[in-house]
Amino acid sequence: MYKFILFNVREEEVELTKAWAKENNVELTFVDDQLTMHNIHLVEGHDGLSTSQNSKVPNEAYPILKEFGIKQIAQRSAGFDYYDLEEAKKHGIIISNVPSYSPESIAEFAITSTLNLVRKTRQIEEKTKEHDFRWQPAIRAGLVNEMTVGVIGTGHIGRVTAKLFHGFGVKIVAYDIYQNEEAKSFLEYKDSIEEVVAMSDIVTLHVPATKDNFHQFNYEMFKKFKPSAYLVNADRGSVVDTKGLIKALDDGLLAGAALDTYENESHFIPKDFSDKEIDDELFLEVLNHEKILFTPHIAHYTDVSVRNIMQIALKSVLEVLETGDTQNRVN
Ligand code: NAD
């Protein structure tokens, strides 16, 4: 019987995982926290390792894991920017991700965020709570049907998002470094991000975070937006320069933003800060800005995703142990 250790596990995941473990004859150890140098000793004696990091795994961890006989780390998310892939490889550690667990979950949330921005649901709720039931320009909405949507990144999630928008009858323009033939039946590719944003009323981001696109959506890029446009980021926080976005919103370069991620979120999300102070001025500005709808990296969080993420990650651990590799390997 194999023994796996799982870090950063929530109670709901423990329940889902127990059945899988029984079916696959695997014994599981659960740890609440992320993998750090303080708790790495817990890995000793296990055959497999899975975690859901949202802060960096220190490079010193890899030789220690190797010493414990660990051959892989199965990250339970699509993003794997928390690992130094080459450093892990140097120590014989295979990093795997869950490349696609429910693109529909994130796509549906991008649509939800868009509708919330366009239909001004927050402003309507606030007025309703004040018992101000008047129809008035402050809550009069635009119509998505008449808009042009710009999709940046047409991979698994971007494509489903574009397909859902297609149902609204909107014009869809897109940019991707690799164009997708199937997607051309419902969207039109443009040659640059700048070209897409200049003609879009909604810009929705679906690209992986890389060194090249760090802060790509900065004040200079927002100058190219229509002043009436909305940004939807259910992607990775680092793609957006938060300071630049706030200044752009204050200067009227764009009308609003729905952010499901924030570039320095790992200290806060997913944790309960209801009785703790938030000591990050920039994050507080995001949370309190009247033109920003912030949600805590929740786009993926559906029943289907929670089940799929856990099961696909654990299957990758088994694959490495049984075959020496996994199709979800990223290094
Ligand atoms: P994917 O790999 O299927 O698609 C990414 C697409 O982006 C690809 O088509 C790729 O060619 C394109 N691309 C890469 N770099 C680019 C660049 N610099 N400019 C333009 N296009 C570029 O990935 P996916 O499954 O669609 O996921 C997209 C991203 O969504 C993930 O990387 C992750 O950061 C994010 N995500 C967010 C959540 C959430 O809950 N908020 C959940 C899952 C994933």
Side-chain angles (χ1 to χ4, degrees), residues 302-328:
T302 62
D303 307 340
V304 174
S305 287
V306 173
R307 188 191 62 219
N308 288 355
I309 290 172
M310 206 31 123
Q311 294 189 355
I312 295 168
L314 293 183
K315 198 165 159 247
S316 297
V317 182
L318 265 188
E319 256 174 32
V320 173
L321 293 175
E322 286 171 355
T323 70
D325 209 346
T326 164
Q327 56 174 355
N328 293 329

Side-chain angles (χ1 to χ4, degrees), residues 78-79 81 99-101 103 106 152-159 175-178 193 205-210 212-213 216 233-236 260-261 297-301:
D81 34 323
S100 180
Y101 44 85
I106 297 107
I152 310 298
T154 55
H156 294 95
I157 298 170
R159 281 207 303 285
Y175 176 75
D176 195 302
I177 42 176
Y178 301 108
I193 292 185
L205 308 184
H206 303 285
V207 287
T210 63
D212 295 338
N213 65 20
Q216 187 167 38
N233 184 13
D235 196 13
R236 276 288 180 273
D260 189 46
T261 58
H297 209 134
I298 208 105
H300 69 284
Y301 190 53

